Amino acid sequence: MVPDGRELIIVSNRGHIHGTGGFWRMTATPGAPMRELRDEETTWKARPDWSPDGRRIVYSSYLGRQWHQLWLMTSEGGDVFPLTYGEFDATAPRWSRDARHIAYISNEGGNTGAVGARRAGRSAASDPRLRAALSGAAGRLRIVVVDRGAARWPRGFR
């Protein structure tokens, strides 16, 4: 969704016989007309995300290759710019609030994990501040397991 919440970008194969679809833009109103931004064979891993200023879109695509990489396009569509390149997957991109970084999931180091890249494509390893921000605790998670009888399990579990 565009930052102001008025428009959406979706992946659809509307009007195309094969494939999982390209990118379409529409207002956030049920039944609104859609405008195709880019016809590209994408997959469920595309996960497009608007930049905070609403002018750019980052997404993941294999674009004729075996590996998913990050790509950047304007919110009006057109040509795309590669942000990552290599024999690894880069998926699920998300912009930082200040639009200076993009966090994503990658298996570049062998294991799958969260990493980040500068807009110009520098890796998280080259920016110690970003690496520190991504590696620290983001919050606390509390899980309470309840059985069918709604009895809470003790801390040690059964």
Side-chain angles (χ1 to χ4, degrees):
M1 185 178 305
V2 75
D4 65 10
R6 295 182 302 174
E7 291 188 84
L8 305 170
I9 183 168
I10 62 171
V11 176
S12 172
N13 65 350
R14 182 183 206 173
H16 300 280
I17 297 172
H18 301 290
T20 53
F23 300 100
W24 295 74
R25 187 174 174 171
M26 65 182 287
T27 60
T29 306
M34 297 187 337
R35 178 172 56 95
E36 190 171 24
L37 295 177
R38 181 167 176 77
D39 177 21
E40 178 180 321
E41 175 60 29
T42 61
T43 67
W44 60 271
K45 290 183 178 184
R47 305 273 319 252
D49 190 40
W50 295 88
S51 62
D53 64 8
R55 297 183 311 159
R56 294 161 293 169
I57 298 166
V58 65
Y59 67 97
S60 179
S61 175
Y62 59 85
L63 197 58
R65 301 189 61 233
Q66 291 181 341
W67 303 95
H68 283 82
Q69 299 297 313
L70 300 185
W71 297 84
L72 188 66
M73 73 174 156
T74 70
S75 59
E76 297 303 316
D79 293 333
V80 296
F81 178 79
L83 293 177
T84 59
Y85 184 85
E87 294 187 14
F88 58 89
D89 286 310
T91 60
R94 291 296 174 257
W95 289 94
S96 65
R97 289 188 184 120
D98 65 3
R100 293 180 55 208
H101 300 94
I102 297 169
Y104 60 96
I105 305 297
S106 178
N107 59 1
E108 183 175 5
N111 291 325
T112 301
V115 295
R118 286 212 169 274
R119 283 189 305 210
R122 289 176 47 198
S123 71
S126 64
D127 188 343
R129 292 170 299 163
L130 176 61
R131 189 168 187 80
L134 291 172
S135 64
R140 295 183 64 160
L141 175 64
R142 180 172 181 249
I143 299 174
V144 177
V145 179
V146 178
D147 66 14
R148 289 184 204 165
R152 291 178 183 252
W153 289 11
R155 280 187 223 165
F157 296 105
R158 294 182 192 178

